[in-house]
Amino acid sequence: MLVHVLTLFPEMFVGPLDHSIVGRARQRGILEVRLVNIRDFTTDKHRIVDDTPYGGGPGMVMKPEPLFAAIEAVRQGSDSHVILMDPQGAPFTQKRAWELAQKRHLVLVCGHYEGVDERVRTIVDEELSIGDFILTGGELPAMVVLDAVCRLLPGALGEAASAREESFEEGLLDHPQYTRPAVFRGMAVPEVLLSGHHEEIRKWRRREALRRTWLRRPDLLDKAPLTAEDRRWLAQVQAEAAQVDADQAASAGSEPLQADASETGDESGPA
């Protein structure tokens, strides 16, 4: 896959692109990333890329001319998919990451300041946001998209199954993970994971994924493709949690109250 990143600050990408999975994918030729400085497409001697907004208001807006020129310079016909990183864009999801991983050429456009001139939106294929919060520019969101997509490219991960077995892949959060030692500071690895019984391990992991999702991200369960077995396990998880709450409430209600000496009238002391 070829990825062009259009940015005012290409130096921000140097570290993140050189290490871990993205770095190895680049070394193996699985991923090629080309950083493009938007300022290189200005036509004035001061290389100005922004201007004040029409109608007034705070901040500066990125000018359309350099952005149009940069996008048109790197676009490679129908093979190219141009994405504007923008807080107004559609939420970036794991599903979208898989879809983007099928593309041959991505162009990630990093906005800055108060945003881009509205006319720039007419030449991009989509707009993506990584969350409902404001960042200084589109560089960090572009890195997020780049990393998420890169790990899904064939050969990028050590094991092909790894990408399919992570959180969100089946609409659920991932199950708890453990490694050696078996006991650490009194905390033991669940016995089922040490049993070597693959079917029981599968069931435990699925139940724990359901439990964790229900406790931390219950909204995901509305969209997750749950089987009849999943729904039965989920009902068990919810029943167990309800029983724990009931036991705790009963325990709290049965604790004896310690009477204060002043309330009992006992003011005697040692003779």
Side-chain angles (χ1 to χ4, degrees), residues 106-171:
L106 295 180
V107 180
L108 304 180
V109 183
C110 305
H112 214 71
Y113 309 116
E114 289 298 312
V116 301
D117 184 289
E118 187 67 18
R119 291 163 288 191
V120 174
R121 302 182 194 277
T122 65
I123 60 167
V124 303
D125 296 303
E126 71 173 310
E127 301 170 34
L128 287 178
S129 168
I130 63 168
D132 295 335
F133 47 87
I134 305 299
L135 296 173
T136 304
E139 284 75 18
L140 292 177
M143 292 179 200
V144 169
V145 171
L146 189 56
D147 189 282
V149 171
C150 173
R151 62 188 296 106
L152 303 179
L153 299 177
L157 295 181
E159 296 183 30
S162 295
R164 284 290 183 187
E165 295 178 354
E166 296 176 321
S167 289
F168 305 113
E169 283 304 329
E170 295 182 349

Side-chain angles (χ1 to χ4, degrees), residues 21 37 46 60 75 78 81 115 121 131 149 190 205 207 226 247:
I21 293 171
N37 192 330
H46 299 294
M60 304 291 280
R75 194 193 289 269
S78 60
H81 188 75
R121 302 182 194 277
V149 171
R205 285 176 168 170
R207 280 195 296 266
L226 301 181
D247 292 344

